[in-house]
Amino acid sequence: MMRKCTTTRKTLCIEELEDRCCPSTYAVLDLGTLGGSYSSAADVNESGQVVGLTATAAGLQRGFLWENGAMIDVGTLGGQLYAVVALENEP
């Protein structure tokens, strides 16, 4: 393992990690939006369901559940903004 340090006002040390040449077992997938300009995933469970927040065409922020290739608006609890941040694994 090689260690490089640069000394200025603060010391920055960088350590080289071992080479990890393992094939990946995952894929990146564009989940889309609810018509807006962004979406952000917060959690994914073992069943492949994803939750997070996205923008609508009207510019509102909404929480979503993505499953079976479709993004579902989960609505709000009466407010303007809403996001879903966690999922449980199905039994």
Side-chain angles (χ1 to χ4, degrees):
M1 183 178 297
M2 187 172 68
R3 184 178 177 133
K4 296 179 182 178
C5 291
T6 304
T7 304
T8 56
R9 291 183 186 175
K10 297 181 180 180
T11 301
L12 172 65
C13 294
I14 302 171
E15 293 185 19
E16 185 178 312
L17 300 176
E18 69 271 10
D19 187 23
R20 298 183 186 213
C21 295
C22 300
S24 64
T25 58
Y26 60 89
V28 176
L29 179 65
D30 184 352
L31 302 179
T33 68
L34 293 173
S37 61
Y38 68 90
S39 65
S40 176
D43 198 13
V44 59
N45 68 10
E46 292 174 355
S47 298
Q49 295 172 309
V50 180
V51 293
L53 63 95
T54 186
T56 65
L60 301 173
Q61 180 177 304
R62 291 288 193 257
F64 73 84
L65 167 66
W66 185 92
E67 64 181 342
N68 300 322
M71 184 178 283
I72 302 161
D73 184 345
V74 297
T76 70
L77 296 173
Q80 293 293 317
L81 305 176
Y82 193 73
V84 183
V85 296
L87 274 173
E88 287 189 9
N89 288 313
E90 294 181 22

